[in-house]
Amino acid sequence: MPLETLKRSLAKWPTSQDADPAQALFDLRDEISSDFDHASLVNVPGGRWAVVSKPLVTASRALFLVYSAESDAPNLATMVRERGEWRLQSLKFQCPGCFGTGELTGSSREENQPCYLCDATGWGAS
């Protein structure tokens, strides 16, 4: 089940910005997908992680909302089915530029523009 894999991943997640990325990848090796987004490792919780949603599941993907104990901003955990097992593909914070909408609000003279921080996805930063 994707929730169990996600919980194992979050329990092994780095807790400091100073954590060695190579060590983190080694620790997470049994939980992450082959195309794991390494940029996710900069997402360090302020306290413990908490999964706060039921998954949105398709045939090969499951999405969860996850919060850090000391933050009001949601995080999106993406799980993928790989070789018959659920694996963590990414853990991205809600974009601080567009607040998850994917668009930057324009002035009265301009239309909304795609968010350049998250490539209009609403999650993470590129």
Side-chain angles (χ1 to χ4, degrees):
M1 299 303 292
L3 179 59
E4 288 77 23
T5 302
L6 176 58
K7 286 182 176 181
R8 285 192 308 270
S9 300
L10 296 176
K12 296 176 183 179
W13 201 259
T15 57
S16 165
Q17 290 288 349
D18 298 329
D20 177 20
Q23 183 64 48
L25 290 171
F26 180 79
D27 293 344
L28 290 163
R29 70 190 177 281
D30 294 331
E31 318 304 336
I32 58 177
S33 66
S34 59
D35 62 346
F36 175 73
D37 183 359
H38 293 198
S40 295
L41 292 174
V42 302
N43 195 355
V44 176
R48 299 187 63 140
W49 291 113
V51 179
V52 297
S53 73
K54 293 183 179 181
L56 173 61
V57 181
T58 64
S60 61
R61 186 175 302 262
L63 304 175
F64 291 88
L65 281 179
V66 179
Y67 278 81
S68 162
E70 297 178 10
S71 174
D72 293 336
N75 298 268
L76 182 67
T78 303
M79 309 292 294
V80 293
R81 214 153 163 69
E82 188 173 88
R83 297 181 310 273
E85 304 269 336
W86 286 102
R87 304 278 184 218
L88 179 65
Q89 185 179 44
S90 68
L91 179 62
K92 296 184 177 180
F93 53 88
Q94 186 181 50
C95 178
C98 67
F99 302 103
T101 66
E103 293 184 342
L104 297 173
T105 305
S107 69
S108 59
R109 299 176 311 201
E110 301 173 7
E111 294 182 21
N112 292 351
Q113 299 293 316
C115 181
Y116 59 88
L117 288 174
C118 63
D119 288 335
T121 65
W123 300 96
S126 358

